[in-house]
Amino acid sequence: MNELLIIIFAPLIAGVIAWALDIKILRELTGIVGAVIPLSYLIYLYPTIDAGKTIQYTASFAGFKFNFALTQLSWIFAMMAGVVGLAAVLGMASTARSSYEWLFALMSLTGVFGIFLSYDLLAFFIFWEVMTFGSFMMVLKYNKSASLKYFILSVIGAYAMLIAIGIIYARVGSFSFIQVYNAFAQDAALGMVGGETLFSRGEMAAIFGLFLVAFGVKAGTFPLHVWAPDAYSETNQSYTAMFSGVLSKTGVYGFILLYMLMGYRLMAEFGTFRSVPKFGYIIAFLGGLTIIVGGLLAALQEDIRKLFAYSSISQIGYILVAIGVGSALSIEAGIYHAISHALFKGLFFLIVATIIYRTGKTEFKDMGGLAEKMPLTFAMAFVAILSLAGIPPLVGFASKWLIFEAVISQNMPILGGMVFFGSAIGFVYLIRFTYAVWFGQRPTDLNDVKDAPLPLAIGMGILALLNVVFGIAPGLVAGELNKIIGKDVIGGTIWELDIGVGKYNGLLITIWLVIGLLVAAIIYFLGARVRRVPVTDTYQSGNPVTMDYNLTIRRNFFLPLKEALSFWLRISFDKLYRDIAKTTEDFADTLRNYVYNGNVQSYAWYLAIILLILAMWGV
Amino acid sequence: MISVYYFGAIALVLIGLYAILVKKNLLKILIGLSIMETGVNLLLISIGYVSGRSAPILSEGIGPSQAVDPIPQALVLTAIVIGVATTAMALSVAMLIYEKYGTLNIEEIRRLRG
């Protein structure tokens, strides 16, 4: 059996075994083994990929040829899925309630590997659906209406993709990426000199629009993001680490594929806007809107899971902006941010899973002062917060800095403004999470909360370690990214990123940071005598604060923001979709009242009238 | 000039259709259905008629060239049986409806309506 097929199908097989066995410890072990096998194979294949070779495999089934290939790009994305998938599966070992969850979580992991490794449009589509089905079943287990919303938008995306693939197949006659690429490249060259092209301008616009919908749904692009907050929050939170960390990256990978397969053609057909291809600018602008909408809504949430769901949407916006801008640097920056988003968002959702697993509560108003009770989880949260906010020695800084540089160097003022706004709003909602959950008064019912269980702690540990390592040595990632483009777009050593207009040295900053912390620690310990203060020992206006007084950060902290935005909040795409559904229902009701009225004689009349019309027509 | 057979058959169908469309009593509608069915059967038979020929039973002196078209007769034989079966079934449903609602006026039988 080929190693690519092992990578793709190992999780699914493990999932089926875990589901069939359904013995408490065995199923957890099988699930973890199923997530370890693909990861270890990917690491084992690294030297081959590193040498610039591509591993290919063709499987024939039912008259179709399915091509699989492991290229530099797909290796990076598959590693992302492998690492975050393993961490999420470790988390599930603590939080999964039944073998059902093991089956479908691992099935969606198989789908993700299949998407990243497939090398033709048909296999890509099939694994896309496997992934969607697995994740849909995971949401269905927890919340039916959230899963339905996810399902309907996914189906719209899937049909859009299927139609686009159909148009391509009808013209090219093959699903294989290589042949599709060749056809588009030839078309671009012919179009340039005014020759007869395979695809007309309208068809190119249709294919692009359909793919935009298909990938946009999965990535959670505005205005197709409405499924994400519900689906991310209404499922096993350990699984959401994979859902938000990896499954949303398949949309991002799709956009990169769009560049790889038909980028030249689209650029030749639709031209450029301020030295950025026009079709990419559309992606980037939607990404910018996604950043703003996701960020603002994240700040207004009262539920931890919802906050991170919206924040996840917002962060995906960055990746889309970077990919849309379309220079070599910005595409590398986009993939870099995809990696760091997978790492820190996976970590965040595992932390949320721990908090919910230990306290059983999901809203900010019920929490507080947990840092003392869950020190390990707090340390992990600290890493994740710094990473998402983009504080230097962590991976989030390196990738956001690259995106900023990429956008600025292309002279894109509006996109730049959106990206900077997104960073500011990122602080706004992270402060909420930091203070409301970890500091302040602790409600008395949380007094005997324990720290994270071992598997969850290991899962968080893996992700937190990578957040730190890739932050201090950003060149590790940049080196791999350079191999995709084939030249040193991001120069420098493994400690340093050098993009010509600026440099960032992760190690140097870490050293200075450690020195600064040491100085602060010396001042702290030499200064006033340390006194331990219980969290409830707080005074406000000279009065001791009682237990029933809630520090305001826990409840409606950003109420003024909400009031300021009230006009815009009324314009909700969620509501628009619901209104469309309502109108359809009303129309059906009208029909039922006046046309399908249950009176047999009126049906007989319809028949008679139709017969009369047919007779007059002369049938 | 349209043949009198056709005219009669189509008139029967239309009378039956009229009863179905306009009458409010369920039994009258069923009677209309039966009349319509009869009209259809007559129409089918009259299509197969060839003027001056006899029944399509091969016997002495009557060969295939002297018989009328036998296919409509076979069709009508089937249609009669089907018609009787549907009428019987419809009548039993009418009985059940009367037991349940105490009326045969289709305006008052509201259950089917949403």
Side-chain angles (χ1 to χ4, degrees), chain A residues 410-424:
Chain A
Q410 294 287 328
N411 291 322
M412 312 292 285
I414 301 174
L415 288 181
M418 284 167 160
V419 170
F420 281 113
F421 177 81
S423 271

Side-chain angles (χ1 to χ4, degrees), chain A residues 592 596-601 604-606 608, chain B residues 17 20-24 29 106-107 112-113:
Chain A
R592 206 159 71 133
Y596 296 101
N597 52 10
N599 187 337
V600 189
Q601 270 184 323
W605 272 110
Y606 303 149
Chain B
L17 191 62
I20 291 171
L21 291 182
V22 176
K23 294 291 166 192
K24 299 295 172 206
I29 289 177
I106 56 163
E107 299 273 277
L112 250 177
R113 300 196 177 185

Side-chain angles (χ1 to χ4, degrees), chain A residues 256-273:
Chain A
I256 294 174
L257 271 189
L258 206 63
Y259 268 91
M260 282 177 16
L261 294 182
M262 42 202 278
Y264 289 129
R265 174 79 175 111
L266 283 168
M267 203 155 101
E269 187 73 61
F270 298 109
T272 55
F273 173 76

Side-chain angles (χ1 to χ4, degrees), chain A residues 90-363:
Chain A
L90 281 168
M92 277 183 57
S94 302
T95 59
R97 291 190 215 155
S98 61
S99 59
Y100 172 101
E101 290 182 28
W102 283 102
L103 174 62
F104 289 111
L106 290 167
M107 180 192 274
S108 60
L109 191 59
T110 284
V112 173
F113 279 125
I115 289 169
F116 291 152
L117 298 188
S118 60
Y119 215 58
D120 68 77
L121 288 168
L122 194 61
F124 184 83
F125 178 75
I126 289 171
F127 284 109
W128 187 274
E129 288 306 288
V130 168
M131 169 192 78
T132 306
F133 179 69
S135 49
F136 161 70
M137 293 301 272
M138 285 301 284
V139 184
L140 180 69
K141 176 91 176 167
Y142 284 74
N143 187 316
K144 202 169 165 194
S145 77
S147 73
L148 276 180
K149 206 197 275 181
Y150 174 45
F151 184 72
I152 287 170
L153 278 162
S154 292
V155 163
I156 292 171
Y159 278 134
M161 191 197 290
L162 198 59
I163 294 167
I165 290 175
I167 297 174
I168 292 175
Y169 183 73
R171 286 274 187 273
V172 180
S174 166
F175 290 115
S176 145
F177 279 180
I178 296 167
Q179 287 179 29
V180 170
Y181 169 78
N182 285 340
F184 277 116
Q186 199 183 5
D187 238 21
L190 279 173
M192 216 83 92
V193 295
E196 190 73 19
T197 52
L198 213 51
F199 293 88
S200 70
R201 191 183 168 86
E203 280 168 344
M204 286 313 293
I207 291 173
F208 173 65
L210 289 168
F211 274 132
L212 192 66
V213 171
F215 300 141
V217 165
K218 200 53 73 175
T221 322
F222 177 84
L224 300 166
H225 65 278
V226 290
W227 63 270
D230 287 2
Y232 286 167
S233 58
E234 293 296 338
T235 183
N236 187 332
Q237 291 301 300
S238 302
Y239 177 70
T240 309
M242 180 166 31
F243 203 166
S244 153
V246 183
L247 267 64
S248 62
K249 298 302 174 303
T250 56
V252 172
Y253 180 75
F255 281 121
I256 294 174
L257 271 189
L258 206 63
Y259 268 91
M260 282 177 16
L261 294 182
M262 42 202 278
Y264 289 129
R265 174 79 175 111
L266 283 168
M267 203 155 101
E269 187 73 61
F270 298 109
T272 55
F273 173 76
R274 301 178 77 118
S275 80
V276 166
K278 256 186 202 148
F279 76 97
Y281 192 77
I282 296 172
I283 300 175
F285 198 78
L286 285 175
L289 286 177
T290 312
I291 296 178
I292 292 176
V293 171
L296 283 176
L297 287 173
L300 301 178
Q301 300 305 314
E302 296 294 316
D303 185 307
I304 305 185
R305 302 171 300 173
K306 278 244 158 51
L307 187 148
F308 285 117
Y310 276 111
S311 126
S312 184
I313 296 168
S314 177
Q315 297 294 321
I316 295 274
Y318 281 98
I319 305 173
L320 296 183
V321 167
I323 286 172
V325 168
S327 64
L329 171 65
S330 79
I331 289 197
E332 284 197 13
I335 301 172
Y336 202 141
H337 197 66
I339 294 168
S340 56
H341 177 258
L343 291 176
F344 63 65
K345 194 53 74 172
L347 182 53
F348 262 127
F349 276 109
L350 286 182
I351 292 161
V352 173
T354 314
I355 293 172
I356 294 173
Y357 179 68
R358 283 304 191 200
T359 65
K361 299 192 163 101
T362 63
E363 296 201 9

